Amino acid sequence: MAVSLPENVFTAKLDALANWVRTNSLWPMPFATACCGIELMATGASRHDLARFGAEVMRFSPRQCDLMIVAGRVVMKMLPVLQRIWQQMPEPKWCISMGACASTGGVFDTYAVVQGVDRFIPVDMYVPGCPPRPEQLIQAVIDLQEKIRQTGKFFSDEFDKRTQYTGPSQSLPRPLDAVVAPGDYTTATRQWEGTGKVQFGERGVRTSLEIHPARK
Amino acid sequence: MTAQEAINKLKEVSGNGSISTSEFRDNTRVHVSKDILMKVLTCLKNDCGFDFLVDITAIDYMGYPTATTDRFAVVYCLLNTSEGSRIVVKTMVNDPDPVLPSSYSLWKGADWPEREVYDMYGIRFEGHPDLRRILMPQEFTSYPLRKDYPLRGMGERHNFPVLTRAEG
């Protein structure tokens, strides 16, 4: 059955149309804290030219960006900031975790460095490397574009089903004897009710880890 | 004034037996007790020309092979900017309530280093105008550079809300 249409008009599903638009106009929010940030800048600069993929408008405000690129290690003090910026970004939005530190904490297995941002915000693409080359970041953007093209919906209701956090679910919670602290400290900063609150008993040994409902 | 001249001056001022000195790689160190710390620092600044406080830091000697009964050392690195001579002043403080007089009245530059020492070691400086944490978040409750604080922390870095896709 042929539909009679003018030459420059064609039909498409609304979902496909939205995906097509979103795919080719990703606006990154650079959350760059360390060496990965330099590679991110190089990616945006003329030699590697991220603009070829439509992701050229680096937004330094979260109001209009839809792709957060976490480049570099994130410390405890910075994670609430990261989360606030993530929540300020309008839907639909995606996240690339760039480099070993952002994805896993990297070599910094110390008290102050968050062991992977994917434990606390949803991440779509992980870029390995320390730091990754611009080509790798570009590959992640291309892969993300593919993901948006294939899974996106006009009303973004594909996100509704993603109640699990997107991360290495097997690694949390850690075994209870993983953190054994001497002394009689009773410390746990940033206490949020019912969300990953760690409790310490006598001699600072972690006795229980309340798990966020979304993680169960 | 060179470091050696300064030490002679200090011995004059505070009595011969009250300070001891040592040298390491051409750096002169003065060991003083905390009661005469301010006297020594004041003398070094006003009479010996050590007008620049380079740094204040601390050492936790817990478990150290040659540790004495004192747990913490606080170290003041001073510089004489007109002659280029340097001197290091070291004083010991102890658990459970390590406290020293603040050198902010002598050098305004003591502000941040003292806050850092307080933040990392829990050594308080009495008379400091604004002694609060400088590197760690304000809610942090322990002192991470103490030797009895575990390297991986006490779970603080896991203690954040988890944002999922659906929550947005």
Side-chain angles (χ1 to χ4, degrees), chain A residues 101-121:
Chain A
C101 298
S103 304
T104 68
V107 297
F108 302 104
D109 191 3
T110 65
Y111 59 91
V113 178
V114 170
Q115 303 296 296
V117 293
D118 52 6
R119 295 176 176 200
F120 305 107
I121 63 168

Side-chain angles (χ1 to χ4, degrees), chain A residues 112-173:
Chain A
V113 178
V114 170
Q115 303 296 296
V117 293
D118 52 6
R119 295 176 176 200
F120 305 107
I121 63 168
V123 169
D124 292 287
M125 289 292 156
Y126 301 86
V127 188
C130 181
R133 284 191 55 84
E135 292 91 329
Q136 290 172 268
L137 182 59
I138 288 175
Q139 183 63 52
V141 171
I142 294 172
D143 288 348
L144 181 64
Q145 286 179 327
E146 186 63 25
K147 182 175 181 176
I148 298 168
R149 200 178 290 122
Q150 301 207 355
T151 62
K153 305 272 184 62
F154 180 74
F155 292 107
S156 303
D157 56 351
E158 79 270 22
F159 293 144
D160 294 348
K161 298 188 190 83
R162 297 192 207 164
T163 51
Q164 291 287 318
Y165 85 125
T166 329
S169 54
Q170 297 311 309
S171 64
L172 267 181

Side-chain angles (χ1 to χ4, degrees), chain A residues 83 93 111 124 187 189 200, chain B residues 141 151 154 159 161 163 165:
Chain A
Q83 288 189 322
K93 58 195 172 187
Y111 59 91
D124 292 287
T187 168
T189 62
F200 294 97
Chain B
T141 50
L151 177 66
M154 317 254 298
N159 208 2
L163 306 179
R165 272 293 176 202

Side-chain angles (χ1 to χ4, degrees), chain B residues 15 17 25 36 45 67 81 91 119 129 136 141 150-151 168:
Chain B
R25 292 193 178 154
I36 60 162
K45 192 206 170 193
T81 51
T91 187
D119 193 1
M136 303 306 294
T141 50
L151 177 66

Side-chain angles (χ1 to χ4, degrees), chain A residues 25-103:
Chain A
S25 66
L26 286 168
W27 285 9
M29 158 92 217
F31 194 91
T33 53
C35 22
C36 281
I38 308 295
E39 298 296 319
L40 173 58
M41 289 180 230
T43 315
S46 48
R47 178 187 286 260
H48 296 283
D49 197 15
L50 194 62
R52 292 176 291 160
F53 305 94
E56 65 187 309
V57 195
M58 289 280 178
R59 311 304 299 195
F60 294 96
S61 151
R63 307 268 170 226
Q64 287 138 337
C65 52
D66 56 2
L67 167 62
M68 178 179 263
I69 301 179
V70 185
R73 80 194 109 97
V74 177
V75 295
M76 266 180 61
K77 209 171 171 177
M78 210 58 192
L79 193 75
V81 180
L82 175 78
Q83 288 189 322
R84 189 163 70 240
I85 291 175
W86 173 258
Q87 286 190 314
Q88 283 171 344
M89 285 167 60
E91 296 279 5
K93 58 195 172 187
W94 298 272
C95 179
I96 292 177
S97 170
M98 178 181 176
C101 298
S103 304

Side-chain angles (χ1 to χ4, degrees), chain A residues 179-186 200-207, chain B residues 148 150 154:
Chain A
V179 181
V180 178
D184 55 351
Y185 295 90
T186 48
F200 294 97
E202 229 180 305
R203 301 180 58 77
V205 178
R206 192 163 79 179
T207 51
Chain B
D148 54 3
M154 317 254 298

